[in-house]
Amino acid sequence: MNAVSRTDSVVVVGASLAGFSLVRALREYGHEGDITVVGDEPHLPYDRPPLSKDFLHDDVDIALGEVAEANWMLGRRAVGITSTAHGPGVILDDGGQVSGNSLVLATGARARSLPGAPTLRGVHTLRTLEDARAIRTSLRTARTVVIVGAGLIGSEIASTAVSFGIEVIIVELSTEPLTAVFGPQIAPICAAMHSANGVRLLTGVAVDRFLGDVRVRAVQLTDGTELAADAVVIGIGAVPNTEWARDCGLEIDNGFITDSRCRTSIPGIYAIGDCARAYNAELGGHHRSEHWTNATVQARIAAADIVGAAQRPTSTPYFWSRQYGRMLQFAGHSRATDAVRFVDGDASTESFTVLYERDGAPVAVFAIDNPRLFTRYRKHIERLTPDAIDISSAISIS
């Protein structure tokens, strides 16, 4: 394949939400040059959040929407970054190259697995469409499923598995699951939803090994406990996809390091989404976020910088999770030391809303099954937030 060069062009590596949003934002900002998107999956961009929810029941529409004009090179993998007379570019898996005036890295992350995890049938991680289909197949015949990790992904899959009538056991290394997400006051309320719905939650223990020959039959824990399992889903976070670019001189540390405008240490190269660790003045350092809204916000920031457009104020960081038929919503920046105040309901009620306050001012809001009041407080917090372009994540992974 011959090298492809474009004048006034942008090359995007990654055809998921961040790359999709970047292309759309570039066109909205008036970019008329060529855009080439390299994606290792064979699919056009799709929405990942339903993969741990409705999609496990049956196929649902996961398209992100109308695809903006671009040259979509799908099923292709970038293996390195190069520099040409036209600007930065990438080397593809067939030895070809694509270059442009700007290069945007949106390679996302991959599901973290366990050291020494065997390739047994029935042991899954969740990241791609194919992963979700494999989990769905296992859930249709499983009697008992063990989920490793009590984070949002693990909790959502547990909720879905219970709806199939499956016995569900969650194994969580932390003794206080979800504390890093919701804080020490609210996390126990969320964790209690598992036992209330018939799910066993084992905390403060880790997986020692998986048992089985061809297919998993049990999980042995570090305390010696053996849990029978027809299926296992590992949900212990994600690893940013940066190794492919490690030899090009970019600063990499748990993600591509960028400034608040998504610019990496090499001029003309940007990084956005799950693979980026951007500087965030609000949080006081570089942080990596794996939330949906972060990918879309950073896409707009990078697109505006590429075309020289005025930066628009960003929205307050936001994410949501659906578990056991209940809607959990969070917006803002919280810290473990923030005061938490119930503004509607309390821990004993079916629905409630809490504010996280710092120095007497609201900085975040969380609600269960109270979307109207949640939205009201979310908008209030947005009005109090300075119109800064470096607000990039609600939950950070340092």
Side-chain angles (χ1 to χ4, degrees):
M1 177 179 175
N2 296 326
V4 178
S5 297
R6 301 284 187 243
T7 301
D8 189 28
S9 61
V10 179
V11 175
V12 185
V13 187
S16 192
L17 174 64
F20 171 89
S21 301
L22 187 281
V23 174
R24 174 175 284 184
L26 284 170
R27 295 305 186 200
E28 289 180 4
Y29 280 127
H31 179 76
E32 298 179 349
D34 290 335
I35 304 174
T36 300
V37 185
V38 178
D40 60 357
E41 290 190 66
H43 318 286
L44 282 168
Y46 58 88
D47 205 16
R48 294 188 192 277
L51 297 184
S52 58
K53 306 178 184 73
D54 296 343
F55 191 87
L56 293 182
H57 285 280
D58 204 350
D59 281 345
V60 295
D61 184 10
I62 57 174
L64 283 168
E66 185 178 352
V67 178
E69 180 188 354
N71 174 26
W72 296 88
M73 301 180 66
L74 302 176
R76 304 296 302 281
R77 187 166 54 91
V79 297
I81 293 177
T82 187
S83 178
T84 73
H86 300 280
V90 292
I91 304 169
L92 303 179
D93 47 7
D94 68 350
Q97 296 183 18
V98 182
S99 63
N101 299 97
S102 300
L103 173 63
V104 183
L105 310 180
T107 47
R110 61 189 180 278
R112 189 186 301 275
S113 189
L114 289 170
T119 55
L120 292 175
R121 291 175 55 192
V123 178
H124 307 278
T125 56
L126 176 59
R127 184 68 185 181
T128 68
L129 180 61
E130 286 73 21
D131 294 337
R133 285 173 172 158
I135 293 172
R136 184 171 63 190
T137 298
S138 285
L139 292 182
R140 284 175 174 169
T141 57
R143 293 166 298 175
T144 302
V145 60
V146 172
I147 297 172
V148 185
L152 296 178
I153 293 295
S155 297
E156 289 172 357
I157 295 174
S159 169
T160 302
V162 163
S163 70
F164 282 102
I166 301 171
E167 180 185 0
V168 180
I169 304 170
I170 301 177
V171 177
E172 168 59 44
L173 177 61
S174 171
T175 57
E176 300 176 330
L178 294 173
T179 297
V181 181
F182 298 123
Q185 296 95 336
I186 302 303
I189 301 173
C190 299
M193 292 170 58
H194 296 305
S195 60
N197 287 275
V199 173
R200 290 175 60 193
L201 174 60
L202 307 179
T203 61
V205 66
V207 171
D208 180 50
R209 60 181 178 143
F210 300 102
L211 305 178
D213 296 322
V214 176
R215 185 174 185 87
V216 67
R217 64 172 177 80
V219 177
Q220 184 170 311
L221 306 183
T222 50
D223 64 1
T225 302
E226 187 173 309
L227 304 173
D230 302 303
V232 175
V233 182
I234 303 171
I236 54 174
V239 180
N241 291 321
T242 59
E243 295 86 352
W244 66 278
R246 65 178 178 271
D247 296 328
C248 71
L250 282 171
E251 186 179 358
I252 301 174
D253 182 7
N254 187 32
F256 296 112
I257 301 298
T258 78
D259 63 13
S260 62
R261 292 161 67 180
C262 302
R263 300 177 299 188
T264 70
S265 54
I266 297 180
I269 301 181
Y270 299 76
I272 60 175
D274 293 1
C275 69
R277 191 158 171 247
Y279 181 77
N280 187 305
E282 178 77 9
L283 298 173
H286 288 87
H287 294 266
R288 187 172 67 84
S289 170
E290 296 171 5
H291 291 298
W292 197 95
T293 53
N294 179 66
T296 60
V297 167
Q298 288 189 340
R300 298 197 70 84
I301 292 172
D305 198 79
I306 289 171
V307 304
Q311 297 282 2
R312 299 176 182 174
T314 61
S315 60
T316 299
Y318 166 75
F319 70 89
W320 63 277
S321 177
R322 189 176 295 279
Q323 301 173 27
Y324 306 108
R326 306 179 73 183
M327 171 69 85
L328 286 65
Q329 294 175 285
F330 182 97
H333 295 285
S334 69
R335 299 175 184 171
T337 54
D338 291 339
V340 174
R341 178 167 63 92
F342 284 86
V343 293
D344 184 71
D346 57 44
S348 66
T349 57
E350 285 294 312
S351 67
F352 63 81
T353 301
V354 300
L355 283 180
Y356 297 75
E357 298 176 326
R358 193 177 311 143
D359 299 325
V363 293
V365 58
F366 170 80
I368 294 182
D369 288 339
N370 205 346
R372 181 174 297 180
L373 190 58
F374 172 85
T375 301
R376 183 189 307 170
Y377 279 108
R378 178 186 177 187
K379 290 180 178 178
H380 177 63
I381 292 170
E382 286 179 348
R383 288 194 293 268
L384 297 176
T385 302
D387 291 340
I389 64 169
D390 49 15
I391 297 174
S392 62
S393 64
I395 304 302
S396 305
I397 305 172
S398 298

